[in-house]
Amino acid sequence: MSSSITGTIKEVPKTAEAPSQYLEDIARKATRTERVLYPISAIVGQEKMLRALILNTINPSIGGVLIRGQKGTAKSTAVRGLAEVLPEIEVVEGCKFNCDPKDTDKFCWECIEKKRKGTLNVNKRQMKVVDLPVGATEDRVVGSLDIEKAVRQGVQAFDPGILAQANRGILYVDEINLLDDFVVDALLDAAAMNVNTVEREGVSVSHPANFIIVGSMNPEEGELRPQLLDRIALQVEVTGIYDVEQRIEIVERRNGFNDGPKQFIREYEGEQEKLRSKIIKAMQLLPRVSTTRENLRTIAEICIAFNVDGHRADIMIERAARTNAAYEGRERITNDDIIEASEMVLPHRMRKKPFEEEEFSVDQLRAVVDGKV
């Protein structure tokens, strides 16, 4: 007797496994190494460089700083260490462009929509130092735009770049003199308008890009393009320290940091907090610092005596001098503030004759201020 089985065989699909949150956490941690930054307050010497960075932090409208100097003079260490003492800022929650909730005129499209729907929330976070690698591609810097999605779905197809991350923060470019021309052009456009615009095949997207440019370079590797140099307000020269005791202190502190970074950082927590508090107080005092007409006359006489082009130097000296006064806890600008600012604004703006080197004399600067020239 034979028997047969009849029916329909159906393949039972396997239940799709939900992605493991645990694995995602591992991947996220595995791809991000914790950065331990050397405290800026532990840097020995280089007061002029530190002052230029702090003034820009207090008053971003100054317009950035270029640090020129030899290798191994703590240029990158100072800029990256600055991140630990930066003040907090208010941002729209979830905004890719760090929009200021109080400045509605400069909202990105997402924040405009959140405001319309009444879903706009505010968060506080620390200002950021965003690195711009020398070899970054154009899409990585300005952002990329998917044309096909943009046509069908609108601006949501925009993938923000480094300029979006740096909005309302510090954009740090190590070896800024080695940047490709297309990156320099993008920085110039954004710095001039405080807006980054990306255009592809007739589709245009704009977002706020108001950042502080901080560049560092070794002059032995080439000079910076004049167009970008003119846009950066302050310039400081850093050299190796020739005091024996200070050089010993540099080695001892660096060894202490390498041997136990976290313990070393704890030892400087008090100094770091003191510097952070001083920066915040200066930011609060800055709106009350006044510039007299006599101060402006002194600044104008300096710029004429040093034969600088245009009027950008006058504006930058006034801003830097006013900010320096606030940092020192004063509501009035003194001649010392003007001299301090002029030393960082003038050297790279003096008009040169062919085949002549720039010459900047602090003694001549003081003579102008004292009315002897």
Side-chain angles (χ1 to χ4, degrees):
M1 182 178 176
S2 64
S3 62
S4 62
I5 300 175
T6 61
T8 304
I9 299 176
K10 294 183 178 180
E11 183 178 356
V12 179
K14 293 182 179 179
T15 305
E17 296 182 3
S20 170
Q21 186 65 38
Y22 175 70
L23 291 176
E24 287 183 5
D25 289 341
I26 290 178
R28 190 179 298 113
K29 291 176 182 176
T31 56
R32 293 196 180 277
T33 303
E34 182 184 1
R35 296 179 69 180
V36 181
L37 301 173
Y38 190 88
I40 190 172
S41 59
I43 293 175
V44 178
Q46 311 299 3
E47 289 84 3
K48 186 72 69 178
M49 172 178 65
L50 299 178
R51 178 62 62 102
L53 290 171
I54 290 169
L55 293 184
N56 272 277
T57 301
I58 297 168
N59 185 4
S61 70
I62 287 175
V65 57
L66 175 66
I67 306 169
R68 291 164 48 99
Q70 306 160 344
K71 300 182 289 290
T73 47
K75 299 187 296 295
S76 301
T77 301
V79 180
R80 295 193 172 106
L82 184 66
E84 300 299 311
V85 296
L86 291 176
E88 287 188 332
I89 57 173
E90 288 187 342
V91 297
V92 175
E93 184 179 20
C95 178
K96 304 171 186 174
F97 310 101
N98 309 309
C99 284
D100 183 352
K102 296 177 182 176
D103 194 356
T104 57
D105 291 339
K106 296 180 181 177
F107 271 4
C108 66
W109 61 88
E110 292 179 346
C111 291
I112 291 173
E113 186 66 15
K114 287 178 182 178
K115 184 185 176 185
R116 188 183 66 81
K117 292 180 178 178
T119 58
L120 190 147
N121 297 316
V122 178
N123 273 348
K124 277 191 174 183
R125 67 156 180 77
Q126 209 170 14
M127 280 179 67
K128 292 181 180 178
V129 175
V130 179
D131 283 270
L132 194 160
V134 171
T137 63
E138 184 175 6
D139 283 351
R140 180 73 185 93
V141 175
V142 302
S144 58
L145 187 61
D146 188 318
I147 302 301
E148 185 178 350
K149 287 184 179 179
V151 172
R152 293 200 318 264
Q153 303 172 14
V155 292
Q156 299 298 332
F158 179 67
D159 185 19
I162 292 174
L163 295 186
Q165 299 173 34
N167 185 39
R168 302 181 63 215
I170 294 174
L171 180 67
Y172 176 48
V173 192
D174 193 12
E175 298 182 325
I176 190 171
N177 53 321
L178 304 182
L179 281 180
D180 288 332
D181 286 345
F182 70 83
V183 178
V184 173
D185 292 339
L187 291 180
L188 287 171
D189 290 342
M193 305 300 295
N194 292 335
V195 172
N196 176 43
T197 301
V198 182
E199 295 182 345
R200 299 285 187 275
E201 305 297 333
V203 179
S204 177
V205 174
S206 297
H207 67 78
N210 186 10
F211 48 82
I212 304 168
I213 297 180
V214 176
S216 60
M217 58 176 280
N218 182 352
E220 297 173 358
E221 298 172 348
E223 291 298 332
L224 188 62
R225 269 178 55 177
Q227 298 94 325
L228 186 54
L229 181 62
D230 184 54
R231 285 285 175 186
I232 301 177
L234 310 182
Q235 177 177 295
V236 291
E237 297 276 348
V238 291
T239 59
I241 295 172
Y242 293 96
D243 180 83
V244 172
E245 294 302 321
Q246 285 189 317
R247 291 180 79 103
I248 293 173
E249 185 70 18
I250 289 170
V251 175
E252 289 177 341
R253 290 189 186 186
R254 192 69 216 191
N255 286 342
F257 177 75
N258 289 345
D259 294 342
K262 294 186 177 179
Q263 174 61 31
F264 186 86
I265 290 171
R266 279 194 292 269
E267 291 173 6
Y268 281 88
E269 278 180 354
E271 292 297 321
Q272 293 281 92
E273 187 55 41
K274 192 184 300 181
L275 179 56
R276 187 182 297 109
S277 298
K278 192 173 180 181
I279 290 172
I280 293 171
K281 288 179 181 177
M283 294 175 75
Q284 295 168 347
L285 178 61
L286 182 61
R288 303 200 301 272
V289 179
S290 59
T291 307
T292 66
R293 193 169 182 83
E294 191 57 36
N295 294 144
L296 296 177
R297 185 180 300 278
T298 301
I299 293 171
E301 289 172 350
I302 289 172
C303 291
I304 291 171
F306 281 85
N307 200 25
V308 296
D309 289 324
H311 305 284
R312 190 168 282 149
D314 303 61
I315 296 169
M316 292 174 175
I317 291 174
E318 189 276 336
R319 288 178 183 172
R322 188 156 38 87
T323 309
N324 194 71
Y327 184 62
E328 296 296 340
R330 289 183 272 102
E331 294 187 9
R332 295 289 294 255
I333 293 176
T334 67
N335 284 343
D336 286 338
D337 295 320
I338 294 174
I339 291 171
E340 181 103 26
S342 299
E343 287 181 34
M344 295 184 279
V345 172
L346 292 180
H348 61 297
R349 299 182 186 281
M350 293 168 55
R351 193 183 305 158
K352 287 192 301 181
K353 294 179 181 178
F355 310 111
E356 286 187 358
E357 294 294 328
E358 290 185 19
E359 291 185 4
F360 178 79
S361 168
V362 178
D363 292 336
Q364 185 184 358
L365 174 60
R366 290 189 177 277
V368 174
V369 173
D370 294 338
K372 297 177 182 178
V373 175

